[in-house]
Amino acid sequence: QVQLVESGGGLVQAGGSLRLSCAFSGRTFTFSSYAMGWFLQAPGKEREFVATISRSNTTTYYADSVKGRFTISRDAAKNTVYLQMNRLKPEDTAVYYCAADGTAFWVASKYSYDYDYWGQGTQVTVSS
């Protein structure tokens, strides 16, 4: 079984920055066995893709809305994936979820249905 625990959310003014963290723990498979993704869900809306990074750490994809502002990274030594969020906007306000996808080494998916495990989410609120 895999557990994902997000942290780092909070309230920030527009233009500010936050760094989200997602700590991975697993009994059978290690952190390196999973591509990792971040998704968000705003009130009354469906869950949306934000960013993803492959197991190889060489493939990343971003939603158009966050390109150039957000950066996803992973630290194998700490079993943690990060989402650095800069130049935040009020429309970034949402619950952010971390997810793990047991896929091929070079693959990173933008689709939530590809992900096997999910964290509980962390709230990000950006005030104008």
Side-chain angles (χ1 to χ4, degrees):
Q1 190 72 357
V2 169
Q3 287 189 323
L4 303 172
V5 179
E6 301 98 333
S7 61
L11 174 64
V12 63
Q13 287 189 333
S17 298
L18 283 174
R19 188 176 81 157
L20 304 184
S21 301
C22 172
F24 172 101
S25 61
R27 280 194 172 183
T28 305
F29 297 101
T30 62
F31 182 57
S32 61
S33 301
Y34 295 90
M36 302 298 295
W38 287 97
F39 293 78
L40 65 82
Q41 188 164 18
K45 295 188 177 181
E46 294 186 354
R47 194 167 295 186
E48 299 177 8
F49 167 73
V50 177
T52 182
I53 186 166
S54 64
R55 293 167 56 195
S56 64
N57 209 16
T58 57
T59 302
T60 57
Y61 296 117
Y62 296 92
D64 289 342
S65 59
V66 307
K67 278 181 185 175
R69 299 189 298 124
F70 291 11
T71 302
I72 189 171
S73 62
R74 60 190 296 160
D75 185 336
K78 296 183 179 180
N79 286 352
T80 300
V81 61
Y82 302 99
L83 186 68
Q84 178 66 45
M85 306 188 294
N86 298 328
R87 303 199 308 276
L88 282 160
K89 304 176 181 179
E91 51 263 43
D92 296 321
T93 294
V95 177
Y96 283 71
Y97 296 91
C98 166
D101 175 14
T103 185
F105 192 61
W106 307 103
V107 174
S109 174
K110 305 176 184 180
Y111 303 104
S112 60
Y113 53 72
D114 283 329
Y115 287 79
D116 306 300
Y117 300 99
W118 293 82
Q120 83 289 348
T122 185
Q123 175 70 46
V124 171
T125 303
V126 184
S127 63
S128 57

